[in-house]
Amino acid sequence: MGRAMTEAAADPVVLINVYRCQPERQDALMDLLAVMVRTQREADGFISATLHRGLNGKVAAVHAVWRSREDWKAMARSAATNAAMEPIMAIATFEPHLYEAGEVIE
């Protein structure tokens, strides 16, 4: 049976950001994404993030949960996040989308 999101994250916003790169750059991309997420972890409203490495070698994804859309927007405008994104943008393209949290099915 599914379960609702935890009370601590009652109305979170979920970011799913897919990054595309050349296969020879995927390892570097994963390292840079980890640096970026560790920077974001200090931002107000950060709940969690999971990094995913595409098995085809050409993609990576970040699944992040934020307390609110406003918290995510503030993080996205921060100097620290923009500085962490610069080297990522040099080797990858990305497509972020925000979602409302849904049912967790286990």
Side-chain angles (χ1 to χ4, degrees), residues 44-65:
D44 286 341
F46 177 88
I47 296 173
S48 67
T50 305
L51 305 179
H52 303 274
R53 177 188 300 266
L55 296 178
N56 67 3
K58 299 177 184 179
V59 296
V62 175
H63 172 272
V65 182

Side-chain angles (χ1 to χ4, degrees), residues 25-35 51-53 59-61:
R25 294 184 167 175
Q26 189 186 42
D27 288 340
L29 177 59
M30 294 303 296
D31 291 342
L32 291 168
L33 290 174
V35 168
L51 305 179
H52 303 274
R53 177 188 300 266
V59 296

Side-chain angles (χ1 to χ4, degrees), residues 67-90:
R67 179 177 54 205
S68 69
R69 181 185 302 232
E70 292 72 25
D71 288 327
W72 176 82
K73 285 180 180 179
M75 172 280 302
R77 290 189 299 266
S78 77
T81 295
N82 287 313
M85 279 297 294
E86 282 185 31
I88 292 169
M89 292 186 303

